[in-house]
Amino acid sequence: LIVLLVVPLYGQVLGRAREKEHKRHGKICIGTNGRMSVPSNKEHHYRNLRDRYTNCTYVDGNLELTWLQDSSLDLSFLQHIREVTGYVLISHVDVRRIVLPSLQIFRGRDLFKLNVQNDAFALIVTLSKMHNLEL
């Protein structure tokens, strides 16, 4: 009988701890590590990014925005991202604007390394055309 009382209480304590963590960070999303690889289906790639980052506030890993080459794409799903633990990569992106109004910090725990040099970056924007990039 005592075990039956302890197990539900333990589950409630874990649930409260997760809820507290969620309130602190918001929605935690897993970042990507594809670098600049070309997706086989660019529409599917866009939908994956949209589904991954909608209402996301904390990216655990890298935020890689790549191969988005349609000026009518809506990237407003990125508006809630506040923190990225890895790097931010914007490459081969041809859209009107990228707006990340909530982004406060990218920690750079994992840096984007160029194969040509020994340089490493927490933010890299390359081979892209856009009217506005707002951070």
Side-chain angles (χ1 to χ4, degrees):
L1 184 61
I2 294 174
V3 173
L4 293 175
L5 293 174
V6 172
V7 172
L9 181 60
Y10 179 71
Q12 288 176 349
V13 169
L14 272 180
R16 286 187 194 131
R18 285 188 189 125
E19 186 177 313
K20 195 176 199 180
E21 185 72 11
H22 185 271
K23 283 182 182 176
R24 192 178 86 172
H25 286 299
K27 181 180 175 190
I28 299 173
C29 306
I30 304 301
T32 57
N33 204 19
R35 298 184 50 90
M36 287 191 256
S37 58
V38 182
S40 58
N41 182 321
K42 291 180 184 171
E43 177 60 31
H44 182 64
H45 175 65
Y46 168 76
R47 283 194 312 266
N48 281 340
L49 289 173
R50 186 189 61 210
D51 294 347
R52 178 183 299 262
Y53 296 121
T54 295
N55 295 320
C56 180
T57 55
Y58 181 90
V59 178
D60 186 12
N62 308 314
L63 174 61
E64 298 177 323
L65 303 175
T66 60
W67 297 101
L68 302 171
Q69 297 177 311
D70 180 347
S71 63
S72 65
L73 289 177
D74 177 14
L75 300 181
S76 64
F77 59 86
L78 301 169
Q79 68 185 334
H80 300 291
I81 296 175
R82 289 192 317 246
E83 184 174 338
V84 176
T85 64
Y87 59 78
V88 176
L89 167 66
I90 300 172
S91 178
H92 297 90
V93 176
D94 300 337
V95 298
R96 291 186 196 279
R97 58 192 299 214
I98 296 177
V99 180
L100 297 159
S102 302
L103 186 59
Q104 297 172 358
I105 186 168
F106 30 93
R107 295 194 179 278
R109 289 184 185 152
D110 182 23
L111 296 174
F112 186 89
K113 295 173 183 70
L114 293 175
N115 294 333
V116 180
Q117 301 170 334
N118 289 328
D119 295 332
F121 303 90
L123 171 65
I124 187 162
V125 180
T126 184
L127 302 170
S128 297
K129 296 181 223 170
M130 64 197 85
H131 296 287
N132 292 337
L133 171 58
E134 298 176 31
L135 300 175

